[in-house]
Amino acid sequence: MAAAGRKAQGAAAGRRRRPRAAGAGSGGKPRPAPARPRDEEVSSDSEAESPVEGQQQQQQRRRRREEEEEEEEEEVEETPQEKKLRLAKLYLEQLRQHEEEQAEEEEEENAAFFRDPVGERLKEDVLEQKGRLQRLVAKEVQPPDPLSIRVLRGHQQPITCLVISPDDKFIFSASKDGSVIKWDVESGKRLYVMPGGKKGTGQHMGHTAQVLCMAISSDGKYLVTGDRNKLILVWEAATCKRLHTFTGHRDAVSGLSFQKGTHQLYSASHDRSVKVWNVAENAYVETLFGHQDVITGLDSLSRECCVTSGGRDGTVRVWKIPEESQLIFYGHQGSIDCIQLINEEHMVSGADDGSVALWGLTKKKPLALVRQSHGTQGENDLQQPYWVSAVAALRNSDLVATGSHSGSVKLWKCGEGFRKLEPLCDIPLVGFINSLKFSATGDFLVAGVGQEHRLGRWWRAKEAKNSICIIPLKRGAAAPSSGAADRAWPRELQELAH
């Protein structure tokens, strides 16, 4: 800093000593300009480049560019292998650019989620709540090998209902003999058996009548079962310990379902009513009336509402619990015996006229209806359709299953907008298919098979076995989606490939 100060002082001193330009002095003679001091510093800004030197440098740069261009033009023509390599590199670069552009577009569309798994899950949850989430999996499902179906036996009488635990590790099933069994999916072994008994046999811990329905809470904590003796039993799912008994229905309990994410329970009965319970507090909440015949099935999801099938009154009803109102749907010609929600806005039902229907909550008529879905039985004028005794839907997807006593379980694909029901394949199973459930992942389908229909004894299939059948569902390679596989290669590269 001292040196810089001295330099500044020297420059200032030089400015003070600078003489005037040549002018008249004493005697009229011009005064010669003094020589610049040797140690005086000159700023680099004062060293302006001469116009001649600048023009020369520009000409040199122009000549160099021209020479480089001439050298590139004079290069030897590339070989076919070099051309193929160059085009391949060009195509890979185009792919990279496209993927980067696509990633940028996705980031803009999902800016709030930053493309993280949590954000994607939240987005799916929003679509699920609105009933707009539909995973297209049906086209990937391959017909299962009949030899791969596992058969679990333990009930003495026909299976009437079953559920799968939320983690897909356990199956709970019930029967006309009053027993409830917990199965291990992987090993197929019976883990717990809650035997049925006869009425009046004392302090029996299980059911003393036919079990018609069951449900499990979405956290896997509670299992509930309903029977023909008007009772609802509450069990601890992990230990199969009986916790509580709900009474209040005046006829057989025919449908049970937990509201997803809660311990609120809905029950349906042949007394034509729907009741609401709080299982965690062992409390009754309210009763809903509306059906004109026995209720045969019930289901619910996340919203505070449930759907029911009304048997011979020919209606499907959606119960809005907070508003204390209901929506009524018409479409089947026979008794509607089974129903299940596909998502929050759509459902599937089956009837004893052989029809399967898809419904949307905004339409009072079916969006799609397949009559005689399992064919007919009998001869000539005595022909009648096989009753649809069970339906199941893989949640938030386009895959549906139906069961009858026609000798097979049928898989269906829901068309766009749920306006069409297309058959996929038949899975041979002998007997009455009284219950169907998909695993949460869609990796397998479980069927409850019996020699009789779950609601009566109109026929008896002696060749059938009262059993639980685990049907694996294999999926083929997914169809290519919009991406690299759908884009055309450059024309030159296609020609070289051939």
Side-chain angles (χ1 to χ4, degrees):
M1 292 179 62
R6 286 195 299 271
K7 289 180 182 179
Q9 290 176 4
R15 286 195 296 271
R16 286 195 300 272
R17 292 195 301 269
R18 185 174 296 166
R20 291 174 297 174
S26 60
K29 294 182 180 179
R31 184 178 299 169
R36 185 182 298 273
R38 290 181 181 179
D39 60 343
E40 183 179 359
E41 289 187 2
V42 180
S43 173
S44 61
D45 295 336
S46 65
E47 297 176 356
E49 185 179 51
S50 67
V52 177
E53 291 176 353
Q55 292 177 0
Q56 290 177 350
Q57 290 180 0
Q58 290 178 2
Q59 290 175 358
Q60 290 175 357
R61 285 196 293 269
R62 190 181 301 111
R63 282 197 298 271
R64 281 198 298 269
R65 284 198 300 271
E66 291 174 354
E67 289 173 358
E68 290 174 358
E69 291 174 357
E70 289 175 359
E71 288 176 0
E72 290 178 358
E73 292 176 356
E74 292 174 0
E75 284 182 356
V76 180
E77 184 178 356
E78 61 185 357
T79 64
Q81 290 78 10
E82 292 172 341
K83 185 177 181 180
K84 185 181 293 186
L85 180 61
R86 179 175 60 82
L87 291 174
K89 289 180 179 179
L90 176 63
Y91 178 60
L92 291 175
E93 180 64 17
Q94 290 176 350
L95 289 183
R96 185 186 63 79
Q97 292 178 358
H98 179 87
E99 293 298 331
E100 289 178 354
E101 292 171 0
Q102 194 174 33
E104 291 175 359
E105 291 176 0
E106 291 177 357
E107 287 177 356
E108 292 174 358
E109 292 174 357
N110 305 309
F113 302 118
F114 301 104
R115 295 186 64 201
D116 64 325
V118 175
E120 293 296 329
R121 180 61 183 271
L122 290 174
K123 186 177 178 182
E124 282 194 358
D125 288 346
V126 171
L127 292 174
E128 183 177 344
Q129 287 288 338
K130 294 181 178 180
R132 298 176 183 173
L133 181 62
Q134 185 184 20
R135 299 186 180 92
L136 305 179
V137 301
K139 62 183 178 182
E140 303 172 15
V141 175
Q142 298 177 345
D145 181 2
L147 298 178
S148 66
I149 299 175
R150 291 191 291 155
V151 179
L152 313 180
R153 300 193 63 188
H155 293 285
Q156 300 301 314
Q157 294 185 25
I159 283 79
T160 55
C161 53
L162 62 88
V163 293
I164 305 173
S165 63
D167 57 9
D168 290 346
K169 292 183 178 180
F170 309 105
I171 297 170
F172 296 87
S173 62
S175 166
K176 285 187 176 183
D177 60 20
S179 64
V180 178
I181 298 179
K182 180 179 181 179
W183 308 84
D184 181 79
V185 172
E186 185 175 355
S187 66
K189 294 181 179 180
R190 285 178 285 180
L191 301 178
Y192 293 96
V193 178
M194 296 82 92
K198 293 183 179 181
K199 194 171 184 180
T201 55
Q203 297 296 322
H204 191 270
M205 294 304 295
H207 289 277
T208 57
Q210 296 180 4
V211 182
L212 298 182
C213 54
M214 65 195 322
I216 190 168
S217 58
S218 55
D219 60 0
K221 184 176 182 179
Y222 296 111
L223 175 75
V224 291
T225 52
D227 65 17
R228 283 195 178 274
N229 274 352
K230 318 168 193 176
L231 300 180
I232 300 172
L233 303 188
V234 181
W235 310 81
E236 185 178 51
T239 62
C240 294
K241 177 184 177 182
R242 181 173 166 181
L243 301 176
H244 189 69
T245 301
F246 286 127
T247 60
H249 280 295
R250 293 175 295 172
D251 205 338
V253 181
S254 54
L256 290 167
S257 181
F258 278 96
Q259 181 186 349
K260 186 178 178 181
T262 74
H263 292 147
Q264 180 160 290
L265 175 70
Y266 306 112
S267 65
S269 169
H270 287 181
D271 65 11
R272 309 178 185 180
S273 71
V274 174
K275 291 185 182 291
V276 186
W277 315 82
N278 187 318
V279 174
E281 299 179 3
N282 295 332
Y284 160 79
V285 180
E286 63 179 316
T287 302
L288 309 171
F289 295 96
H291 276 293
Q292 303 304 307
D293 193 22
V294 299
I295 302 176
T296 55
L298 179 146
D299 196 21
S300 66
L301 280 176
S302 300
R303 294 178 182 173
E304 197 172 351
C305 69
C306 61
V307 298
T308 54
S309 53
R312 293 266 167 217
D313 74 2
T315 66
V316 166
R317 300 191 183 220
V318 176
W319 305 81
K320 297 184 176 181
I321 311 300
E323 295 88 345
E324 296 183 355
S325 63
Q326 55 187 288
L327 302 176
I328 305 175
F329 302 81
Y330 296 92
H332 291 287
Q333 295 177 348
S335 175
I336 309 173
D337 290 343
C338 46
I339 190 166
Q340 188 171 3
L341 284 162
I342 302 173
N343 56 33
E344 298 286 359
E345 295 288 335
H346 299 90
M347 51 194 168
V348 58
S349 62
D352 69 1
D353 62 359
S355 60
V356 177
L358 291 178
W359 308 83
L361 298 190
T362 58
K363 300 286 185 181
K364 295 301 179 73
K365 298 290 184 181
L367 299 176
L369 182 68
V370 178
R371 301 190 185 279
Q372 299 182 1
S373 57
H374 281 258
T376 59
Q377 59 182 333
E379 297 179 357
N380 302 326
D381 296 337
L382 299 177
Q383 284 189 353
Q384 59 175 327
Y386 283 103
W387 297 4
V388 178
S389 52
V391 294
L394 181 59
R395 301 289 194 193
N396 302 305
S397 79
D398 61 344
L399 184 60
V400 168
T402 60
S404 179
H405 63 288
S406 60
S408 66
V409 170
K410 288 183 176 288
L411 296 183
W412 306 81
K413 175 182 179 294
C414 300
E416 185 177 357
F418 295 93
R419 295 187 177 276
K420 192 175 182 181
L421 203 56
E422 306 170 8
L424 289 176
C425 64
D426 289 5
I427 304 169
L429 278 182
V430 178
F432 285 82
I433 311 301
N434 289 326
S435 185
L436 285 171
K437 288 291 185 295
F438 281 100
S439 64
T441 58
D443 291 338
F444 60 92
L445 172 68
V446 182
V449 184
Q451 293 180 334
E452 301 169 353
H453 193 284
R454 70 184 182 96
L455 297 177
R457 304 186 67 180
W458 297 279
W459 299 279
R460 182 174 178 82
K462 294 182 179 180
E463 66 279 11
K465 295 179 180 179
N466 300 319
S467 57
I468 302 296
C469 296
I470 302 177
I471 306 165
L473 299 177
K474 295 182 179 180
R475 300 185 191 179
S481 57
S482 57
D486 293 335
R487 292 189 298 273
W489 285 20
R491 181 178 56 84
E492 294 177 305
L493 195 58
Q494 290 185 28
E495 293 174 355
L496 287 172
H498 292 290

